[in-house]
Structure formats: C-alpha cells, structure tokens
Amino acid sequence: MSEIICHCFDVNREEIEKAIKEKGLKTVEEVGEETNAGTGCGGCQDRIQEILDEING
C-alpha cells in the first residue's frame, strides 16, 4: 500500500507520482489541481515538493 501524503483528501504517493509523470507537473499547485493534494490544510506541501524534486530532478 502506498504512503498517504495528503490526509485531507486521502491522496497517496503513487497517485501523486503518476500525475506528475503523466501530466509533466512541475509545481505543488499543479499537483493540487490534478489530485487535490495540498489544497486542504497545506501541511503536506513540503512532501509534495520533495516528490516533485525526486521525479523532476
């Protein structure tokens, strides 16, 4: 089971990685638009940025 990144909207790491790779996402805001992750309390935005950095170098 993939790690839950955004608890507000129950979005897991796998969903975020898939959206970043398939849509070429570059920002936390773009990830939020695609997955809702990071658009609730905002507490997971740093983790989303880490995932973006890992994937996009």
Side-chain angles (χ1 to χ4, degrees):
M1 175 136 171
S2 186
E3 170 194 7
I4 298 296
I5 303 296
C6 177
H7 291 276
C8 293
F9 294 104
D10 199 37
V11 183
N12 67 39
R13 183 180 180 102
E14 194 176 304
E15 291 173 79
I16 292 170
E17 288 182 353
K18 184 173 186 236
I20 293 168
K21 290 172 183 170
E22 288 182 358
K23 306 278 203 277
L25 307 181
K26 302 289 182 206
T27 67
V28 172
E29 290 75 23
E30 288 174 338
V31 172
E33 287 169 18
E34 283 296 322
T35 67
N36 279 333
T39 62
C41 75
C44 62
Q45 290 184 349
D46 289 345
R47 289 286 294 123
I48 295 169
Q49 186 60 58
E50 288 172 18
I51 296 167
L52 280 161
D53 293 344
E54 284 172 29
I55 292 172
N56 292 328

